Amino acid sequence: MNAAGRLDVAVVGAGRVGPVLGAALRAAGHRITGVAARSRRSAERVEAVLPDVPWIEPADAFAADLVLLAVPDDVLGPLVTDLAPHVRAGQLVVHTCGLHGLGVLGPAAGRGALPLALHPAMTFTGTSLDLQRLLGAAVAVTAPAVLAPVADALVREWGATPVPVADADRPLYHAALAHGSNHLVTLVAQALDAARAAVGEDAERVLRPLLQAALDNALRSGDAALTGPVARGDAGTVATHLRVLDPPTARTYARLAAVAADRAQAAGRLTDTAADAVRAALTPGEP
């Protein structure tokens, strides 16, 4: 370990996340000793974020005080098992996967490593732009109680905000983020295609303020933010929408409208009769 609590840090994984987090730790005064990856296809991007940092073998990363494992969810478990023989007792081993908690680091912890799970709740471009976006971002922290202060300090050195997540809740936490962000992209892309067919190049200008307001209102008020034909029980409008949309978008619309009707009905915002009418419009031809 360097003076004044500064750490030697090795990054395992040359994707969009690890090098950026390594750069944030370097900016906080830690020394990045190397980047390890099975492929160097992203060498130019990695070197732009972490200049003058050598490429090393994954096993050599465990000469560092802190090993940052930034690899895909399904790769992490086998990688930890494979590299566990190289672990040194007392070193920090941190992973950045949202899905996993501490259990996946069990082989390393069994050899004396200090395990942490730190997942930034943001998307990464793999460029220096992410360093600014990291400021104030939430990071899901799962750590043994004795290591909670260490996890808190690391996250704050990234410029981010730690949010404790229990080990057992990591899959639910990750599902919430994936459902909200990934499926939002699909939904918006479909809406953008339909709007372009109707208004051409003005589609983004038309949709942006509406979508931004809808997102803000939903985050603030949940189901109470629902507006539009489903919330009003306008079954005829719903039927018309399904008629004019392309088939893939119509299927998405119908499935989401059915869920919206269920939630609006459960919240008392939609009468049983109106909810039934909307559902009938969503399944034409069915009894």
Side-chain angles (χ1 to χ4, degrees), residues 219-255:
L219 288 172
R220 183 169 51 249
S221 304
D223 289 323
L226 183 65
T227 62
V230 172
R232 295 190 299 267
D234 290 341
T237 300
V238 169
T240 299
H241 290 172
L242 292 176
R243 177 173 57 80
V244 299
L245 289 168
D246 66 80
T249 303
R251 287 193 292 271
T252 305
Y253 182 111
R255 289 167 182 163

PDB file of all heavy atoms in Angstrom, residues 219-255:
ATOM      1  N   LEU A 219     -41.562   8.867 -11.670  1.00  0.00           N
ATOM      2  CA  LEU A 219     -40.629   8.680 -10.563  1.00  0.00           C
ATOM      3  C   LEU A 219     -41.136   9.355  -9.299  1.00  0.00           C
ATOM      4  O   LEU A 219     -40.904   8.877  -8.179  1.00  0.00           O
ATOM      5  CB  LEU A 219     -39.251   9.247 -10.941  1.00  0.00           C
ATOM      6  CG  LEU A 219     -38.468   8.440 -11.980  1.00  0.00           C
ATOM      7  CD1 LEU A 219     -37.224   9.196 -12.414  1.00  0.00           C
ATOM      8  CD2 LEU A 219     -38.085   7.068 -11.430  1.00  0.00           C
ATOM      9  N   ARG A 220     -41.840  10.451  -9.461  1.00  0.00           N
ATOM     10  CA  ARG A 220     -42.346  11.188  -8.307  1.00  0.00           C
ATOM     11  C   ARG A 220     -43.656  10.611  -7.767  1.00  0.00           C
ATOM     12  O   ARG A 220     -43.867  10.541  -6.561  1.00  0.00           O
ATOM     13  CB  ARG A 220     -42.544  12.648  -8.694  1.00  0.00           C
ATOM     14  CG  ARG A 220     -43.009  13.549  -7.543  1.00  0.00           C
ATOM     15  CD  ARG A 220     -42.929  15.022  -7.918  1.00  0.00           C
ATOM     16  NE  ARG A 220     -43.594  15.310  -9.185  1.00  0.00           N
ATOM     17  CZ  ARG A 220     -42.961  15.661 -10.298  1.00  0.00           C
ATOM     18  NH1 ARG A 220     -41.640  15.753 -10.316  1.00  0.00           N
ATOM     19  NH2 ARG A 220     -43.627  15.915 -11.408  1.00  0.00           N
ATOM     20  N   SER A 221     -44.543  10.153  -8.684  1.00  0.00           N
ATOM     21  CA  SER A 221     -45.904   9.821  -8.253  1.00  0.00           C
ATOM     22  C   SER A 221     -46.348   8.403  -8.570  1.00  0.00           C
ATOM     23  O   SER A 221     -47.466   8.021  -8.227  1.00  0.00           O
ATOM     24  CB  SER A 221     -46.896  10.802  -8.912  1.00  0.00           C
ATOM     25  OG  SER A 221     -46.558  12.140  -8.621  1.00  0.00           O
ATOM     26  N   GLY A 222     -45.529   7.609  -9.239  1.00  0.00           N
ATOM     27  CA  GLY A 222     -45.909   6.235  -9.535  1.00  0.00           C
ATOM     28  C   GLY A 222     -47.132   6.159 -10.431  1.00  0.00           C
ATOM     29  O   GLY A 222     -47.268   6.899 -11.401  1.00  0.00           O
ATOM     30  N   ASP A 223     -48.065   5.258 -10.090  1.00  0.00           N
ATOM     31  CA  ASP A 223     -49.250   5.048 -10.920  1.00  0.00           C
ATOM     32  C   ASP A 223     -50.107   6.296 -11.055  1.00  0.00           C
ATOM     33  O   ASP A 223     -50.852   6.435 -12.041  1.00  0.00           O
ATOM     34  CB  ASP A 223     -50.105   3.918 -10.331  1.00  0.00           C
ATOM     35  CG  ASP A 223     -49.461   2.555 -10.509  1.00  0.00           C
ATOM     36  OD1 ASP A 223     -48.830   2.325 -11.556  1.00  0.00           O
ATOM     37  OD2 ASP A 223     -49.586   1.714  -9.601  1.00  0.00           O
ATOM     38  N   ALA A 224     -50.029   7.210 -10.093  1.00  0.00           N
ATOM     39  CA  ALA A 224     -50.829   8.431 -10.174  1.00  0.00           C
ATOM     40  C   ALA A 224     -50.427   9.309 -11.351  1.00  0.00           C
ATOM     41  O   ALA A 224     -51.177  10.201 -11.746  1.00  0.00           O
ATOM     42  CB  ALA A 224     -50.706   9.231  -8.866  1.00  0.00           C
ATOM     43  N   ALA A 225     -49.261   9.043 -11.942  1.00  0.00           N
ATOM     44  CA  ALA A 225     -48.798   9.836 -13.079  1.00  0.00           C
ATOM     45  C   ALA A 225     -49.400   9.370 -14.397  1.00  0.00           C
ATOM     46  O   ALA A 225     -49.217  10.031 -15.425  1.00  0.00           O
ATOM     47  CB  ALA A 225     -47.272   9.779 -13.169  1.00  0.00           C
ATOM     48  N   LEU A 226     -50.121   8.248 -14.395  1.00  0.00           N
ATOM     49  CA  LEU A 226     -50.641   7.698 -15.638  1.00  0.00           C
ATOM     50  C   LEU A 226     -51.687   8.625 -16.256  1.00  0.00           C
ATOM     51  O   LEU A 226     -52.620   9.065 -15.594  1.00  0.00           O
ATOM     52  CB  LEU A 226     -51.267   6.322 -15.383  1.00  0.00           C
ATOM     53  CG  LEU A 226     -51.804   5.588 -16.612  1.00  0.00           C
ATOM     54  CD1 LEU A 226     -50.660   5.239 -17.562  1.00  0.00           C
ATOM     55  CD2 LEU A 226     -52.555   4.327 -16.187  1.00  0.00           C
ATOM     56  N   THR A 227     -51.502   8.918 -17.535  1.00  0.00           N
ATOM     57  CA  THR A 227     -52.470   9.712 -18.295  1.00  0.00           C
ATOM     58  C   THR A 227     -52.777   8.970 -19.591  1.00  0.00           C
ATOM     59  O   THR A 227     -52.224   7.909 -19.856  1.00  0.00           O
ATOM     60  CB  THR A 227     -51.929  11.115 -18.632  1.00  0.00           C
ATOM     61  OG1 THR A 227     -50.766  10.979 -19.466  1.00  0.00           O
ATOM     62  CG2 THR A 227     -51.542  11.873 -17.366  1.00  0.00           C
ATOM     63  N   GLY A 228     -53.650   9.538 -20.399  1.00  0.00           N
ATOM     64  CA  GLY A 228     -53.915   8.960 -21.706  1.00  0.00           C
ATOM     65  C   GLY A 228     -55.152   8.098 -21.747  1.00  0.00           C
ATOM     66  O   GLY A 228     -55.919   8.023 -20.782  1.00  0.00           O
ATOM     67  N   PRO A 229     -55.383   7.401 -22.869  1.00  0.00           N
ATOM     68  CA  PRO A 229     -56.641   6.696 -23.080  1.00  0.00           C
ATOM     69  C   PRO A 229     -56.897   5.559 -22.107  1.00  0.00           C
ATOM     70  O   PRO A 229     -58.052   5.324 -21.731  1.00  0.00           O
ATOM     71  CB  PRO A 229     -56.529   6.182 -24.522  1.00  0.00           C
ATOM     72  CG  PRO A 229     -55.072   6.212 -24.837  1.00  0.00           C
ATOM     73  CD  PRO A 229     -54.518   7.353 -24.064  1.00  0.00           C
ATOM     74  N   VAL A 230     -55.881   4.844 -21.681  1.00  0.00           N
ATOM     75  CA  VAL A 230     -56.115   3.760 -20.722  1.00  0.00           C
ATOM     76  C   VAL A 230     -56.596   4.329 -19.393  1.00  0.00           C
ATOM     77  O   VAL A 230     -57.565   3.845 -18.805  1.00  0.00           O
ATOM     78  CB  VAL A 230     -54.844   2.913 -20.535  1.00  0.00           C
ATOM     79  CG1 VAL A 230     -55.038   1.919 -19.391  1.00  0.00           C
ATOM     80  CG2 VAL A 230     -54.508   2.169 -21.816  1.00  0.00           C
ATOM     81  N   ALA A 231     -55.920   5.362 -18.916  1.00  0.00           N
ATOM     82  CA  ALA A 231     -56.311   5.965 -17.639  1.00  0.00           C
ATOM     83  C   ALA A 231     -57.716   6.548 -17.701  1.00  0.00           C
ATOM     84  O   ALA A 231     -58.429   6.598 -16.693  1.00  0.00           O
ATOM     85  CB  ALA A 231     -55.315   7.055 -17.245  1.00  0.00           C
ATOM     86  N   ARG A 232     -58.149   6.995 -18.885  1.00  0.00           N
ATOM     87  CA  ARG A 232     -59.497   7.570 -19.051  1.00  0.00           C
ATOM     88  C   ARG A 232     -60.540   6.515 -19.387  1.00  0.00           C
ATOM     89  O   ARG A 232     -61.731   6.805 -19.412  1.00  0.00           O
ATOM     90  CB  ARG A 232     -59.477   8.633 -20.153  1.00  0.00           C
ATOM     91  CG  ARG A 232     -58.624   9.858 -19.852  1.00  0.00           C
ATOM     92  CD  ARG A 232     -58.874  10.953 -20.892  1.00  0.00           C
ATOM     93  NE  ARG A 232     -58.523  10.519 -22.237  1.00  0.00           N
ATOM     94  CZ  ARG A 232     -57.333  10.717 -22.806  1.00  0.00           C
ATOM     95  NH1 ARG A 232     -56.366  11.327 -22.108  1.00  0.00           N
ATOM     96  NH2 ARG A 232     -57.089  10.299 -24.034  1.00  0.00           N
ATOM     97  N   GLY A 233     -60.099   5.307 -19.716  1.00  0.00           N
ATOM     98  CA  GLY A 233     -61.038   4.280 -20.128  1.00  0.00           C
ATOM     99  C   GLY A 233     -61.543   4.464 -21.544  1.00  0.00           C
ATOM    100  O   GLY A 233     -62.624   3.971 -21.889  1.00  0.00           O
ATOM    101  N   ASP A 234     -60.763   5.126 -22.399  1.00  0.00           N
ATOM    102  CA  ASP A 234     -61.168   5.375 -23.777  1.00  0.00           C
ATOM    103  C   ASP A 234     -60.832   4.157 -24.646  1.00  0.00           C
ATOM    104  O   ASP A 234     -59.834   4.131 -25.385  1.00  0.00           O
ATOM    105  CB  ASP A 234     -60.464   6.619 -24.324  1.00  0.00           C
ATOM    106  CG  ASP A 234     -60.964   7.897 -23.679  1.00  0.00           C
ATOM    107  OD1 ASP A 234     -62.071   7.872 -23.102  1.00  0.00           O
ATOM    108  OD2 ASP A 234     -60.256   8.914 -23.780  1.00  0.00           O
ATOM    109  N   ALA A 235     -61.698   3.140 -24.562  1.00  0.00           N
ATOM    110  CA  ALA A 235     -61.438   1.887 -25.260  1.00  0.00           C
ATOM    111  C   ALA A 235     -61.391   2.075 -26.773  1.00  0.00           C
ATOM    112  O   ALA A 235     -60.606   1.406 -27.468  1.00  0.00           O
ATOM    113  CB  ALA A 235     -62.492   0.854 -24.886  1.00  0.00           C
ATOM    114  N   GLY A 236     -62.208   2.969 -27.314  1.00  0.00           N
ATOM    115  CA  GLY A 236     -62.201   3.194 -28.750  1.00  0.00           C
ATOM    116  C   GLY A 236     -60.881   3.737 -29.240  1.00  0.00           C
ATOM    117  O   GLY A 236     -60.391   3.355 -30.312  1.00  0.00           O
ATOM    118  N   THR A 237     -60.290   4.639 -28.463  1.00  0.00           N
ATOM    119  CA  THR A 237     -58.992   5.198 -28.838  1.00  0.00           C
ATOM    120  C   THR A 237     -57.920   4.113 -28.815  1.00  0.00           C
ATOM    121  O   THR A 237     -57.064   4.039 -29.706  1.00  0.00           O
ATOM    122  CB  THR A 237     -58.616   6.341 -27.877  1.00  0.00           C
ATOM    123  OG1 THR A 237     -59.615   7.350 -27.945  1.00  0.00           O
ATOM    124  CG2 THR A 237     -57.263   6.932 -28.237  1.00  0.00           C
ATOM    125  N   VAL A 238     -57.971   3.275 -27.789  1.00  0.00           N
ATOM    126  CA  VAL A 238     -57.016   2.172 -27.688  1.00  0.00           C
ATOM    127  C   VAL A 238     -57.121   1.266 -28.916  1.00  0.00           C
ATOM    128  O   VAL A 238     -56.109   0.864 -29.507  1.00  0.00           O
ATOM    129  CB  VAL A 238     -57.258   1.373 -26.394  1.00  0.00           C
ATOM    130  CG1 VAL A 238     -56.455   0.069 -26.398  1.00  0.00           C
ATOM    131  CG2 VAL A 238     -56.888   2.209 -25.169  1.00  0.00           C
ATOM    132  N   ALA A 239     -58.334   0.946 -29.308  1.00  0.00           N
ATOM    133  CA  ALA A 239     -58.534   0.087 -30.471  1.00  0.00           C
ATOM    134  C   ALA A 239     -57.975   0.726 -31.742  1.00  0.00           C
ATOM    135  O   ALA A 239     -57.365   0.048 -32.581  1.00  0.00           O
ATOM    136  CB  ALA A 239     -60.021  -0.217 -30.641  1.00  0.00           C
ATOM    137  N   THR A 240     -58.164   2.028 -31.876  1.00  0.00           N
ATOM    138  CA  THR A 240     -57.633   2.730 -33.046  1.00  0.00           C
ATOM    139  C   THR A 240     -56.114   2.696 -33.060  1.00  0.00           C
ATOM    140  O   THR A 240     -55.489   2.477 -34.107  1.00  0.00           O
ATOM    141  CB  THR A 240     -58.123   4.185 -33.061  1.00  0.00           C
ATOM    142  OG1 THR A 240     -59.548   4.195 -33.137  1.00  0.00           O
ATOM    143  CG2 THR A 240     -57.544   4.945 -34.250  1.00  0.00           C
ATOM    144  N   HIS A 241     -55.501   2.911 -31.907  1.00  0.00           N
ATOM    145  CA  HIS A 241     -54.047   2.860 -31.830  1.00  0.00           C
ATOM    146  C   HIS A 241     -53.516   1.506 -32.291  1.00  0.00           C
ATOM    147  O   HIS A 241     -52.538   1.428 -33.053  1.00  0.00           O
ATOM    148  CB  HIS A 241     -53.584   3.133 -30.398  1.00  0.00           C
ATOM    149  CG  HIS A 241     -53.780   4.543 -29.968  1.00  0.00           C
ATOM    150  ND1 HIS A 241     -53.581   4.961 -28.664  1.00  0.00           N
ATOM    151  CD2 HIS A 241     -54.172   5.658 -30.651  1.00  0.00           C
ATOM    152  CE1 HIS A 241     -53.826   6.258 -28.573  1.00  0.00           C
ATOM    153  NE2 HIS A 241     -54.188   6.698 -29.771  1.00  0.00           N
ATOM    154  N   LEU A 242     -54.147   0.444 -31.836  1.00  0.00           N
ATOM    155  CA  LEU A 242     -53.693  -0.892 -32.208  1.00  0.00           C
ATOM    156  C   LEU A 242     -53.848  -1.127 -33.712  1.00  0.00           C
ATOM    157  O   LEU A 242     -53.060  -1.865 -34.323  1.00  0.00           O
ATOM    158  CB  LEU A 242     -54.477  -1.951 -31.432  1.00  0.00           C
ATOM    159  CG  LEU A 242     -54.209  -2.006 -29.920  1.00  0.00           C
ATOM    160  CD1 LEU A 242     -55.119  -3.032 -29.260  1.00  0.00           C
ATOM    161  CD2 LEU A 242     -52.755  -2.332 -29.629  1.00  0.00           C
ATOM    162  N   ARG A 243     -54.838  -0.486 -34.317  1.00  0.00           N
ATOM    163  CA  ARG A 243     -55.071  -0.663 -35.745  1.00  0.00           C
ATOM    164  C   ARG A 243     -53.995   0.018 -36.585  1.00  0.00           C
ATOM    165  O   ARG A 243     -53.604  -0.486 -37.651  1.00  0.00           O
ATOM    166  CB  ARG A 243     -56.460  -0.122 -36.110  1.00  0.00           C
ATOM    167  CG  ARG A 243     -56.792  -0.180 -37.606  1.00  0.00           C
ATOM    168  CD  ARG A 243     -58.236   0.198 -37.861  1.00  0.00           C
ATOM    169  NE  ARG A 243     -58.557   1.525 -37.332  1.00  0.00           N
ATOM    170  CZ  ARG A 243     -58.260   2.670 -37.944  1.00  0.00           C
ATOM    171  NH1 ARG A 243     -57.608   2.664 -39.103  1.00  0.00           N
ATOM    172  NH2 ARG A 243     -58.622   3.824 -37.405  1.00  0.00           N
ATOM    173  N   VAL A 244     -53.495   1.171 -36.144  1.00  0.00           N
ATOM    174  CA  VAL A 244     -52.573   1.944 -36.981  1.00  0.00           C
ATOM    175  C   VAL A 244     -51.095   1.650 -36.699  1.00  0.00           C
ATOM    176  O   VAL A 244     -50.243   1.972 -37.524  1.00  0.00           O
ATOM    177  CB  VAL A 244     -52.829   3.462 -36.827  1.00  0.00           C
ATOM    178  CG1 VAL A 244     -54.248   3.800 -37.270  1.00  0.00           C
ATOM    179  CG2 VAL A 244     -52.590   3.938 -35.397  1.00  0.00           C
ATOM    180  N   LEU A 245     -50.792   1.058 -35.569  1.00  0.00           N
ATOM    181  CA  LEU A 245     -49.400   0.756 -35.249  1.00  0.00           C
ATOM    182  C   LEU A 245     -48.927  -0.468 -36.023  1.00  0.00           C
ATOM    183  O   LEU A 245     -49.715  -1.357 -36.356  1.00  0.00           O
ATOM    184  CB  LEU A 245     -49.243   0.497 -33.747  1.00  0.00           C
ATOM    185  CG  LEU A 245     -49.369   1.712 -32.823  1.00  0.00           C
ATOM    186  CD1 LEU A 245     -49.481   1.257 -31.369  1.00  0.00           C
ATOM    187  CD2 LEU A 245     -48.184   2.664 -32.998  1.00  0.00           C
ATOM    188  N   ASP A 246     -47.619  -0.528 -36.293  1.00  0.00           N
ATOM    189  CA  ASP A 246     -47.078  -1.733 -36.915  1.00  0.00           C
ATOM    190  C   ASP A 246     -47.201  -2.894 -35.939  1.00  0.00           C
ATOM    191  O   ASP A 246     -47.254  -2.687 -34.716  1.00  0.00           O
ATOM    192  CB  ASP A 246     -45.618  -1.514 -37.330  1.00  0.00           C
ATOM    193  CG  ASP A 246     -44.702  -1.325 -36.145  1.00  0.00           C
ATOM    194  OD1 ASP A 246     -44.310  -2.327 -35.522  1.00  0.00           O
ATOM    195  OD2 ASP A 246     -44.386  -0.153 -35.822  1.00  0.00           O
ATOM    196  N   PRO A 247     -47.275  -4.145 -36.432  1.00  0.00           N
ATOM    197  CA  PRO A 247     -47.565  -5.286 -35.547  1.00  0.00           C
ATOM    198  C   PRO A 247     -46.647  -5.442 -34.329  1.00  0.00           C
ATOM    199  O   PRO A 247     -47.146  -5.641 -33.217  1.00  0.00           O
ATOM    200  CB  PRO A 247     -47.473  -6.489 -36.498  1.00  0.00           C
ATOM    201  CG  PRO A 247     -47.867  -5.922 -37.825  1.00  0.00           C
ATOM    202  CD  PRO A 247     -47.280  -4.533 -37.851  1.00  0.00           C
ATOM    203  N   PRO A 248     -45.309  -5.329 -34.473  1.00  0.00           N
ATOM    204  CA  PRO A 248     -44.481  -5.473 -33.261  1.00  0.00           C
ATOM    205  C   PRO A 248     -44.778  -4.396 -32.216  1.00  0.00           C
ATOM    206  O   PRO A 248     -44.846  -4.680 -31.021  1.00  0.00           O
ATOM    207  CB  PRO A 248     -43.043  -5.362 -33.784  1.00  0.00           C
ATOM    208  CG  PRO A 248     -43.142  -5.736 -35.218  1.00  0.00           C
ATOM    209  CD  PRO A 248     -44.463  -5.215 -35.682  1.00  0.00           C
ATOM    210  N   THR A 249     -44.953  -3.152 -32.659  1.00  0.00           N
ATOM    211  CA  THR A 249     -45.246  -2.073 -31.717  1.00  0.00           C
ATOM    212  C   THR A 249     -46.631  -2.245 -31.127  1.00  0.00           C
ATOM    213  O   THR A 249     -46.841  -1.981 -29.930  1.00  0.00           O
ATOM    214  CB  THR A 249     -45.130  -0.708 -32.419  1.00  0.00           C
ATOM    215  OG1 THR A 249     -43.815  -0.577 -32.970  1.00  0.00           O
ATOM    216  CG2 THR A 249     -45.377   0.435 -31.448  1.00  0.00           C
ATOM    217  N   ALA A 250     -47.586  -2.709 -31.923  1.00  0.00           N
ATOM    218  CA  ALA A 250     -48.934  -2.943 -31.409  1.00  0.00           C
ATOM    219  C   ALA A 250     -48.934  -4.003 -30.315  1.00  0.00           C
ATOM    220  O   ALA A 250     -49.660  -3.886 -29.317  1.00  0.00           O
ATOM    221  CB  ALA A 250     -49.866  -3.359 -32.548  1.00  0.00           C
ATOM    222  N   ARG A 251     -48.104  -5.031 -30.476  1.00  0.00           N
ATOM    223  CA  ARG A 251     -48.031  -6.067 -29.434  1.00  0.00           C
ATOM    224  C   ARG A 251     -47.481  -5.500 -28.136  1.00  0.00           C
ATOM    225  O   ARG A 251     -47.980  -5.795 -27.042  1.00  0.00           O
ATOM    226  CB  ARG A 251     -47.167  -7.242 -29.923  1.00  0.00           C
ATOM    227  CG  ARG A 251     -47.851  -8.103 -30.979  1.00  0.00           C
ATOM    228  CD  ARG A 251     -47.099  -9.408 -31.197  1.00  0.00           C
ATOM    229  NE  ARG A 251     -45.793  -9.200 -31.809  1.00  0.00           N
ATOM    230  CZ  ARG A 251     -45.580  -9.164 -33.116  1.00  0.00           C
ATOM    231  NH1 ARG A 251     -46.593  -9.330 -33.962  1.00  0.00           N
ATOM    232  NH2 ARG A 251     -44.361  -9.009 -33.599  1.00  0.00           N
ATOM    233  N   THR A 252     -46.432  -4.674 -28.244  1.00  0.00           N
ATOM    234  CA  THR A 252     -45.885  -4.031 -27.048  1.00  0.00           C
ATOM    235  C   THR A 252     -46.931  -3.124 -26.405  1.00  0.00           C
ATOM    236  O   THR A 252     -47.123  -3.141 -25.181  1.00  0.00           O
ATOM    237  CB  THR A 252     -44.634  -3.201 -27.404  1.00  0.00           C
ATOM    238  OG1 THR A 252     -43.690  -4.034 -28.058  1.00  0.00           O
ATOM    239  CG2 THR A 252     -44.007  -2.607 -26.156  1.00  0.00           C
ATOM    240  N   TYR A 253     -47.598  -2.329 -27.220  1.00  0.00           N
ATOM    241  CA  TYR A 253     -48.637  -1.417 -26.738  1.00  0.00           C
ATOM    242  C   TYR A 253     -49.709  -2.205 -25.981  1.00  0.00           C
ATOM    243  O   TYR A 253     -50.116  -1.821 -24.871  1.00  0.00           O
ATOM    244  CB  TYR A 253     -49.248  -0.687 -27.936  1.00  0.00           C
ATOM    245  CG  TYR A 253     -50.309   0.341 -27.614  1.00  0.00           C
ATOM    246  CD1 TYR A 253     -50.060   1.697 -27.799  1.00  0.00           C
ATOM    247  CD2 TYR A 253     -51.571  -0.024 -27.165  1.00  0.00           C
ATOM    248  CE1 TYR A 253     -51.034   2.656 -27.529  1.00  0.00           C
ATOM    249  CE2 TYR A 253     -52.551   0.905 -26.889  1.00  0.00           C
ATOM    250  CZ  TYR A 253     -52.288   2.245 -27.067  1.00  0.00           C
ATOM    251  OH  TYR A 253     -53.254   3.181 -26.801  1.00  0.00           O
ATOM    252  N   ALA A 254     -50.186  -3.304 -26.580  1.00  0.00           N
ATOM    253  CA  ALA A 254     -51.272  -4.072 -25.962  1.00  0.00           C
ATOM    254  C   ALA A 254     -50.857  -4.656 -24.619  1.00  0.00           C
ATOM    255  O   ALA A 254     -51.622  -4.623 -23.639  1.00  0.00           O
ATOM    256  CB  ALA A 254     -51.720  -5.179 -26.917  1.00  0.00           C
ATOM    257  N   ARG A 255     -49.652  -5.178 -24.546  1.00  0.00           N
ATOM    258  CA  ARG A 255     -49.204  -5.785 -23.291  1.00  0.00           C
ATOM    259  C   ARG A 255     -49.048  -4.733 -22.192  1.00  0.00           C
ATOM    260  O   ARG A 255     -49.466  -4.949 -21.052  1.00  0.00           O
ATOM    261  CB  ARG A 255     -47.881  -6.517 -23.521  1.00  0.00           C
ATOM    262  CG  ARG A 255     -48.034  -7.792 -24.350  1.00  0.00           C
ATOM    263  CD  ARG A 255     -46.703  -8.325 -24.823  1.00  0.00           C
ATOM    264  NE  ARG A 255     -46.859  -9.521 -25.648  1.00  0.00           N
ATOM    265  CZ  ARG A 255     -45.934 -10.006 -26.452  1.00  0.00           C
ATOM    266  NH1 ARG A 255     -44.763  -9.376 -26.551  1.00  0.00           N
ATOM    267  NH2 ARG A 255     -46.147 -11.098 -27.163  1.00  0.00           N
TER     268      ARG A 255
END
